[in-house]
Amino acid sequence: MTRKKRYLRIVHVLFAALLLIQLIPDRLNTETYAQYVVWFALIAEALTLIVSSVIKKPLSLTLFVDVVSCIYGLLIAWTLATAKFNLLKAALFPPPGRVFMQLIEDHEKIVVNILSSVGIILQGYLLAAAAAIILGMLLGSSERLGNVATYIAKFLGAIPPIVYIPYGIALLPTFHSVSVFVIFLATFWPVLAGTMSGVMNVDKKTLDSARVLNVNRFTMLFSVILPASLPQIFIGYNQGLTVSFVLLTSAEMIGAQSGLGYYIKNYSDFGDYTRTLVGLIVIGVVIVVISFAFNKIQQYLLRWKR
């Protein structure tokens, strides 16, 4: 790419606009902490310039700068509607500088809550994924069993796992185990259905070629059928991952003593909407980062499809 394509983009205009609007006098009577917005913009612009210098694929660069442009545009609109023109109720919609300041002040507490939430997600998600793949491959290898199990999985998967929380609280020793159980259910059924679908729809030519080579049943399942079923399995993974975050946040807002959902619920009960917005932003960032990492793993395991 030429330097013009790398560096002459609308994202830099929006960066300059974000800095310039900080010069407009504030209409709020309280401190808006505009310096935190400036520091955020400078860090984001430096990162954008670095990525623009090293990235090789034009589409990847365009996607990255478009995301940063949207962030700049949101911050511009947010700043104008709050700190500069006071169009929104300050108690409910604090200016971005105040939110960034609170994010920095609460960073230790936020990290603890992130680790709590991500730990629960990983435990329930990995347990469900392992169990669903093994069971799905066994059931899917028999067409008769697979057809019956598919309808059972669809029926049980249609029941929102959050309704099991009262039973989990009554039967399990801690709320942590209840949360893991809910994430397990949220992930298990879509992965099971995806695995069975993938196994039952493996190309017959692939199976015939493996039989000609006289491979044993174990090798057939895990070296032939499993790789061929991965696209369908990952569809179930994606569904389970999306639902898991929604359910975990809801569960943490009901009775947890830690986690991002608890962080939001705790401060919203006291009317602290600055910290509530901090929690919402952190949840969004965590979900995006985990989804990005998951997509990279998926692309690596399915690289043979390219």
Side-chain angles (χ1 to χ4, degrees), residues 50-264:
I50 292 172
V51 171
S52 298
S53 301
V54 300
I55 203 166
K56 296 180 180 180
K57 297 180 180 179
L59 290 178
S60 299
L61 177 59
T62 299
L63 175 61
F64 178 81
V65 297
D66 285 348
V67 170
V68 177
S69 297
C70 290
I71 294 173
Y72 286 158
L74 175 62
L75 288 175
I76 290 171
W78 187 2
T79 301
L80 292 174
T82 54
K84 302 307 176 184
F85 298 115
N86 196 18
L87 300 177
L88 302 174
K89 192 174 181 179
L92 295 176
F93 301 99
R98 189 179 302 169
V99 174
F100 290 149
M101 181 273 296
Q102 195 67 66
L103 175 62
I104 295 173
E105 284 193 354
D106 287 359
H107 72 278
E108 293 183 359
K109 190 183 303 182
I110 290 170
V111 169
V112 171
N113 287 315
I114 289 174
L115 293 177
S116 175
S117 294
V118 173
I120 291 173
I121 286 284
L122 289 179
Q123 290 178 56
Y125 192 78
L126 295 178
L127 285 173
I133 288 178
I134 295 173
L135 184 60
M137 291 185 65
L138 294 176
L139 294 174
S141 59
S142 169
E143 184 176 358
R144 186 173 180 179
L145 279 176
N147 288 331
V148 174
T150 296
Y151 283 100
I152 294 174
K154 288 181 178 179
F155 171 76
L156 294 176
I159 301 174
I162 199 169
V163 304
Y164 295 109
I165 289 180
Y167 290 97
I169 293 175
L171 298 174
L172 297 174
T174 64
F175 193 84
H176 178 88
S177 59
V178 175
S179 299
V180 173
F181 174 66
V182 170
I183 299 305
F184 179 91
L185 291 177
T187 305
F188 180 80
W189 297 117
V191 175
L192 178 65
T195 303
M196 290 189 297
S197 176
V199 171
M200 290 188 295
N201 290 285
V202 174
D203 191 349
K204 301 297 183 183
K205 295 180 181 179
T206 302
L207 298 178
D208 292 339
S209 299
R211 293 190 183 101
V212 169
L213 297 174
N214 294 319
V215 300
N216 57 46
R217 184 172 177 80
F218 181 85
T219 304
M220 176 72 81
L221 280 175
F222 292 95
S223 297
V224 179
I225 295 178
L226 178 58
S229 305
L230 281 178
Q232 289 295 319
I233 293 174
F234 273 112
I235 291 176
Y237 274 157
N238 284 313
Q239 292 175 352
L241 186 64
T242 302
V243 175
S244 293
F245 278 107
V246 176
L247 290 175
L248 178 62
T249 304
S250 301
E252 288 174 340
M253 295 179 75
I254 293 175
Q257 296 300 314
S258 62
L260 295 173
Y262 165 76
Y263 179 91
I264 293 174

Side-chain angles (χ1 to χ4, degrees), residues 33-54:
Y33 301 98
Q35 65 271 24
Y36 287 92
V37 178
V38 173
W39 278 111
F40 175 85
L42 291 173
I43 293 171
E45 183 66 11
L47 180 61
T48 302
L49 292 173
I50 292 172
V51 171
S52 298
S53 301
V54 300

Side-chain angles (χ1 to χ4, degrees), residues 274-289:
T274 299
R275 285 188 168 94
T276 300
L277 280 176
V278 168
L280 293 174
I281 293 171
V282 172
I283 286 177
V285 172
V286 170
I287 292 175
V288 168
V289 170

Side-chain angles (χ1 to χ4, degrees), residues 5-51:
K5 290 184 178 181
R6 284 185 182 274
Y7 300 110
L8 293 181
R9 292 179 177 266
I10 190 65
V11 64
H12 305 299
V13 177
L14 292 172
F15 163 72
L18 179 58
L19 295 184
L20 289 174
I21 66 171
Q22 305 307 318
L23 301 177
I24 301 174
D26 294 331
R27 291 193 178 181
L28 288 180
N29 297 325
T30 57
E31 177 63 50
T32 60
Y33 301 98
Q35 65 271 24
Y36 287 92
V37 178
V38 173
W39 278 111
F40 175 85
L42 291 173
I43 293 171
E45 183 66 11
L47 180 61
T48 302
L49 292 173
I50 292 172
V51 171

